[in-house]
Amino acid sequence: MGTAEQQSREPRKIDPERLDRVLRAAVAAGLVGGEQVAAGFVDVDGLLRSVADLRGAFATDGVGGRAEVLHTFAAKACALVPVLRLLAATGLGCEVASAGELALALAAGFPTGRIVLDSPAKTEAELAQALALGVAVNADNLDEVARIAALRGDTGGSVLGLRINPQVGAGSIAAMSTASQHAKFGEPLRDPGARERITAAFARHPWLTRLHVHVGSQGCPLELIAAGVRAVHELAEEINERAGRRQVTSIDLGGGLTVNFEGDEIRPSHRAYADHLRAAVPGLFDGGYALVTEFGRSLVAKNGFTAAVAEYTKQVGGRRVALTHAGAHLATRTVLMPDAWPLRISVHRPDGSRRVPGPDDPPVVQDVAGPLCFAGDVVAHERPLPAIGPGDLVVLHDTGGYYTSAPWGYNSVARPAIHGFTTAPDGEVRFALVRARQSVEQVVAESGGAHADSLLGLGDARGGA
């Protein structure tokens, strides 16, 4: 079986039988199926295991040196207060990118000293709030540094840094790459005169003590991420040498670890990522710099799934089409960028038991479409699956991040409920409500229902101005 160290480096896998057991229990409990046409599920056990794996990956460099590390969770990946509170209880910090996400982090109980504010367009009010709270701030650009200088006064409790675009290139998904030549994030490092402008800013502002880099997300290989981190580590060394002291005391590595959406293996692991950084940037873990991480999707994606009811099926142009309640309102990125964000789909009977393709249930090439009124609302094209029928459940795997927690309001479809779950050794499944299903009354209220008559007084609504 190998040593414990070898086993810890083997990819961890999601257990499909456990998922099936959870889905059957969810159906039995009335959480999905029938009028509960869709629901999201968050695996609490798996999420806590992922946090532990992350901590273990960065605990030591394997040689004996140690670096202080603050692991923050990127709130955008799962903007649900109960999930954030669970993560806060483990001691994680939180990375936020808006006033709304900051409010969520505070509601979840994250200490302000463990919150990091990143955004390319922070307002003066947002900066002032963060500085007053003692929230760490990574300025996106030198103009923002000047704005912070005017707001902070002579003292402040916030750790302040500057985001750098190392311009090391793009991954396979351009929209997810934040370190390309023309990416909108951060101060460019390789533009003419840019390096001098950055080092001069640090010389002018001794309270700038952090550098921040985030190369990208899905589609960015470890080599590309490491190249960006290496460039910023070299910049930190240069700034400190010029200052004659350790002015830069911490480096925020961002997040961006890709997720395997093709199977049950959790790869690349956080340990593989940390090991790659140790090899590519040896000085990073020697204790000279405190480190910050901002992982999101890689912690939650494979610890969640979405289940939805199939309403109808039909033949169109010789192909079977299943019309389900899983569409772009839940899987926006997959529908709009299917090649970049494909999701695995399994088919289950109305009781939640899985239909396994085989001689008794042969696969049929079919489309899995959603309920929205546009032709592109298809979560899977020409997928060989058991022939989906009305009442069956389709499961979208690996949707713990950026799916049910970031719904699209197209067609005013109500947001589904989200439930957390744990499983006991004896097979018992326990559920807890994370977010209630949105009612149609709430849909109306969100769409301005309380102000229905507000435009009538602006002119003659019956015949023009």
Side-chain angles (χ1 to χ4, degrees):
M1 294 183 61
T3 67
E5 178 71 11
Q6 289 171 333
Q7 292 177 43
S8 70
R9 282 176 161 78
E10 295 177 356
R12 187 159 62 89
K13 294 184 178 181
I14 301 298
D15 181 2
E17 294 183 0
R18 180 168 175 268
L19 184 151
D20 295 350
R21 187 164 74 250
V22 170
L23 184 59
R24 291 195 300 271
V27 171
L31 305 183
V32 66
E35 292 303 308
Q36 301 295 327
V37 294
F41 296 89
V42 177
D43 182 355
V44 172
D45 301 326
L47 183 53
L48 294 177
R49 172 69 185 276
S50 292
V51 171
D53 288 347
L54 171 61
R55 283 209 172 94
F58 279 78
T60 176
D61 65 5
V63 182
R66 300 184 68 85
E68 176 188 347
V69 185
L70 169 62
H71 294 295
T72 68
F73 176 73
K76 65 183 73 65
C78 193
L80 299 165
V81 171
V83 174
L84 296 178
R85 186 179 288 277
L86 176 69
L87 295 173
T90 71
L92 258 61
C94 192
E95 184 268 337
V96 300
S98 71
E101 288 186 355
L102 176 56
L104 293 178
L106 295 174
F110 287 99
T112 54
R114 300 180 74 82
I115 299 175
V116 179
L117 174 62
D118 296 322
S119 166
K122 307 178 194 71
T123 67
E124 284 193 8
E126 290 169 350
L127 288 170
Q129 181 191 21
L131 294 172
L133 290 171
V135 167
V137 178
N138 288 320
D140 177 79
N141 51 71
L142 295 180
D143 284 348
E144 188 177 326
V145 170
R147 181 176 287 185
I148 292 171
L151 290 170
R152 71 178 294 276
D154 296 329
T155 60
S158 297
V159 177
L160 301 172
L162 176 65
R163 180 168 183 169
I164 302 297
N165 174 5
Q167 296 176 300
V168 292
S172 61
I173 307 175
M176 295 294 105
S177 300
T178 59
S180 59
Q181 185 69 19
H182 303 290
K184 74 175 188 178
F185 295 99
E187 196 66 29
L189 186 58
R190 297 185 179 183
D191 283 10
R195 198 177 194 95
E196 177 58 30
R197 288 192 293 272
I198 292 167
T199 55
F202 274 77
R204 285 194 307 274
H205 304 298
W207 39 264
L208 281 175
T209 60
R210 176 173 288 172
L211 285 172
H212 175 218
V213 60
H214 178 82
V215 168
S217 190
Q218 195 70 16
C220 291
L222 296 181
E223 293 78 10
L224 188 68
I225 298 174
V229 172
R230 182 169 56 247
V232 168
H233 180 264
E234 292 170 353
L235 177 62
E237 296 282 272
E238 181 180 334
I239 290 170
N240 288 343
E241 182 178 358
R242 176 170 173 168
R245 62 186 179 87
R246 296 200 72 79
Q247 176 176 344
V248 177
T249 57
S250 61
I251 298 177
D252 188 331
L253 308 177
L257 191 63
T258 61
V259 169
N260 168 33
F261 287 103
E262 299 176 353
D264 289 319
E265 285 190 355
I266 299 177
R267 57 175 171 81
S269 66
H270 291 105
R271 181 176 291 277
Y273 169 78
D275 287 348
H276 197 90
L277 283 185
R278 292 182 181 106
V281 197
L284 191 64
F285 289 82
D286 65 7
Y289 297 96
L291 304 179
V292 179
T293 71
E294 300 174 353
F295 292 108
R297 178 185 293 108
S298 61
L299 284 171
V300 294
K302 299 193 81 66
N303 293 313
F305 67 91
T306 302
V309 174
E311 200 68 52
Y312 304 104
T313 59
K314 58 184 176 181
Q315 294 290 127
V316 181
R319 185 187 306 165
R320 188 179 183 89
V321 177
L323 299 172
T324 79
H325 291 277
H329 61 306
L330 303 181
T332 310
R333 287 180 173 177
T334 294
V335 169
L336 299 183
M337 301 176 66
D339 293 334
W341 297 98
L343 287 175
R344 291 181 296 141
I345 293 178
S346 57
V347 181
H348 299 252
R349 299 176 183 85
D351 66 358
S353 59
R354 187 181 298 229
R355 294 176 56 190
V356 180
D360 296 330
D361 200 351
V364 176
V365 175
Q366 57 200 301
D367 291 350
V368 182
L372 306 187
C373 291
F374 76 100
D377 185 31
V378 180
V379 296
H381 297 263
E382 300 183 74
R383 197 72 65 87
L385 296 165
I388 299 169
D392 279 345
L393 297 172
V394 294
V395 169
L396 312 184
H397 295 253
D398 308 328
T399 60
Y402 293 99
Y403 282 88
T404 48
S405 64
W408 189 22
Y410 197 97
N411 280 151
S412 297
V413 176
R415 292 188 287 271
I418 300 176
H419 307 274
F421 68 86
T422 63
T423 57
D426 63 1
E428 180 190 7
V429 182
R430 296 174 59 192
F431 294 99
L433 184 64
V434 173
R435 185 185 71 198
R437 179 188 183 187
Q438 189 181 34
S439 67
V440 291
E441 292 79 13
Q442 290 170 323
V443 172
V444 172
E446 188 175 75
S447 299
H451 311 286
D453 295 334
S454 65
L455 301 182
L456 299 181
L458 296 182
D460 185 355
R462 295 164 296 178

